[in-house]
Amino acid sequence: KMSTNKVRELNAILSAHGGMARFGNDNGYLIGPAAVLFPALEQFAAKVREKCLLHLQVAKTEVFTWTGVLPAEAPANMKRAGVQIGDDWHPGYLCYGIPVGTREYCQHMLRDKVEEVRAEVERVKQVLGEEDSQAIWCILKCSLAQKLDWHLSLSYPSDMLVPAKEMDTILWDLLQHCSRLHIPKEDEGLGVECVPHLPGMFSLQGRSFQQWL
């Protein structure tokens, strides 16, 4: 209860300057002018340390700015939020796993997520081989197929398009692996879509299950 009160106090300070404080689990997100935010954060950290024995992990705290430049008010041991891609720095951060920032940052992080799934698929193949197709199917259906759902629901479609297509390819490959069959796709001229006949439901009529789902 005490920590909740401190969060509300911090939110009130930042709200007065057009910002906010939002916390969930052990993560906090602060928005506001640097001249107000960093002193307020320092005061908040001191209060929760004294009253609740909770310690702000400054080394894990990231500072996001659209320019990618740390404000002068930021503590020296805080790092800027973003990712280095080649010779360029792209600002961004993860908010409960969802990338927020420049388009380049978001697309990079979504591709990273897909590559993480690809690595998991390869481990499944290595461990289970072709001897336990039922186990592979269960992993695919109950786990791997949902790995990108959170991102699909909260990321911009334009950012998700390429990673989602690649995710489809990875999952399709594993489906073929566990069924030991080549399952044709539409672009091979052999794919099949399920188009239900729904009299009177004009918004769905003539559209495949995949389309309206």
Side-chain angles (χ1 to χ4, degrees), residues 22-33:
R22 294 292 184 270
F23 282 71
N25 298 324
D26 60 347
N27 295 318
Y29 300 90
L30 312 184
I31 299 173

Side-chain angles (χ1 to χ4, degrees), residues 8 12 19 36 68 87 114 117 121 160 162 179 181 188 206:
R8 286 174 175 162
V36 176
D87 297 328
V114 171
V117 176
V121 165
M160 281 299 309
V162 173
S179 66
L181 296 170
E188 299 175 57

